[in-house]
Every structure is written in structure tokens, then in C-alpha cells.
Amino acid sequence: MKINPDQLLKLLNKETSVLSGALLFGPDQGLIAETISLCIEKFAGKPANPFMLSELSPTQLKAAPGLLYDELNTLPMLGEKKIVVFRHCADSYATDIKSALSNQSKSCFLLTEAGELPPRSKLRKVFEENKNAAAVGCYFDDKNKIRTLIDQVFKEHQSFIDPDASLILADRLGNDRLISRNEIEKLALFVGHGGRAKV
């Protein structure tokens, strides 16, 4: 299936979710990094419990081809489910990923990160065509998404921002999620708990 990062997080929060894996791809590396962090926090807590998180790289899989299968079939020592994060994946791993998704334990979730991929990507098709997995496009934020992020960050810091100030801030920010979040958090921290940003 094809979904966006917000839809992925909502699905993971559902107790009835049957999602067993997701692919994060696209040009917004900040949004990819943020989504990975939130997914890890969902399964392994914050800070992440090392017994509920496994991180893999292409270098590791080249040295040990069966490592992905082993990690996806190793039960978590603590908790109900662990997350396996495969970073810097590429189309050359599409067959391995397809096999892994078909044979993994229900106690494991596979999160794959691949950067930008074309529509014909074999890796994208693996996740798009699997009913229990998702291809998650991470694209640059537009102004509406940036304003939603502003509201979200200020709410997290229990502070406030006037609509006019929010508009000005959104116009001055770029479209990379991680950079935008960092700048908004600086302002929210400056305003302080219970404070208000205004023009």
C-alpha cells in the first residue's frame, strides 16, 4: 500500500494493525529521519531499549547474508514487539526484502530507509504490492504542513503562538522537516512554558 508518514504513525498506534513493515523513501531526509525516530520510539521507547531495536546496514548484510532473516525471526527479549531498521537500502535488496516480509515473525516490524527512489523501483513495488506493508513517501512540506508542525511543536512545549506570528514563521522556514522542527523548537523554548509568540 501507499501511505504518508502521518498515516504510518496512525496505523502503528492501532492495536489491530497488521502492518509488518514499511519503506521510507523520498527527497525530504529530515522527514525520513523524524519518522524513523518516532517509529523506534513507538516500539523500543525513548531512549530506545537495545533489546527491542536492531539496526542493519548494507555492509552488515554483505558480510552476513542471512542476518536480515535472523533478526526478523528473533523474538524480543523484552516487550511484545521489536523493530528492525534497515538503513540505506537499495533496489538490489528487493528480493531479500520480499522474502523477509513473507517469512518474518509477527513479533518483529521491519522499517526500511532508502532515500529517493523512482516510481519503477523494485523496492517500492515490494512494499506497495504487499497488503501488510507500506511504501511511505517523504516529500517536502508545503506551507500548510509547516503551520501544522508549528502548532504541534508549540503544543508539545505547552506554549502558544498567534496566527499572524505563525504565518510569518511559516513563510520564513524552508521545506525540510528536520530543519523546520529545530528552528520552531528554538522559538518555543525561547517563548517558554505558558508563553506566547506574537508579532
Side-chain angles (χ1 to χ4, degrees), residues 15-184:
E15 292 183 7
T16 56
S17 175
V18 294
L19 208 60
S20 59
L23 166 69
L24 301 179
F25 70 94
D28 192 340
Q29 294 300 307
L31 181 53
I32 289 175
E34 179 180 273
T35 306
I36 289 174
S37 294
L38 291 171
C39 288
I40 290 175
E41 183 178 343
K42 164 65 183 171
F43 289 101
K46 187 177 181 179
N49 186 322
F51 294 109
M52 298 171 70
L53 167 66
S54 178
E55 298 200 56
L56 303 175
S57 68
T59 302
Q60 290 174 294
L61 294 189
K62 282 180 183 178
L67 185 58
L68 178 61
Y69 177 87
D70 291 342
E71 288 293 343
L72 288 172
N73 284 281
T74 303
L75 298 178
M77 292 182 67
L78 300 170
E80 296 180 1
K81 208 163 187 175
K82 80 170 185 177
I83 182 169
V84 177
V85 181
F86 182 10
R87 297 181 187 269
H88 310 299
C89 192
D91 268 358
S92 56
Y93 288 96
T95 301
D96 293 333
I97 295 291
K98 185 175 182 177
S99 176
L101 287 170
S102 300
N103 297 288
Q104 74 188 79
S105 165
K106 291 182 179 179
S107 297
C108 295
F109 181 83
L110 174 62
L111 184 65
T112 308
E113 176 266 310
E116 291 194 63
L117 293 172
R120 293 184 179 181
S121 160
K122 293 178 182 178
L123 191 58
R124 279 180 63 170
K125 286 184 178 179
V126 167
F127 285 86
E128 290 171 355
E129 295 172 359
N130 189 318
K131 64 180 181 180
N132 295 325
V136 186
C138 297
Y139 302 104
F140 291 119
D141 289 331
D142 57 22
K143 286 293 185 286
N144 287 331
K145 286 184 178 178
I146 292 174
R147 292 203 66 193
T148 299
L149 180 64
I150 292 169
D151 292 340
Q152 177 188 327
V153 172
F154 269 79
K155 186 176 180 180
E156 288 171 1
H157 288 270
Q158 297 183 12
S159 52
F160 307 92
I161 183 167
D162 285 349
D164 289 346
S166 178
L167 275 171
I168 292 171
L169 181 59
D171 284 338
R172 293 186 178 181
L173 291 170
N175 53 15
D176 183 285
R177 175 65 64 92
L178 193 59
I179 294 173
S180 295
R181 178 177 281 278
N182 287 339
E183 293 304 314
I184 298 164

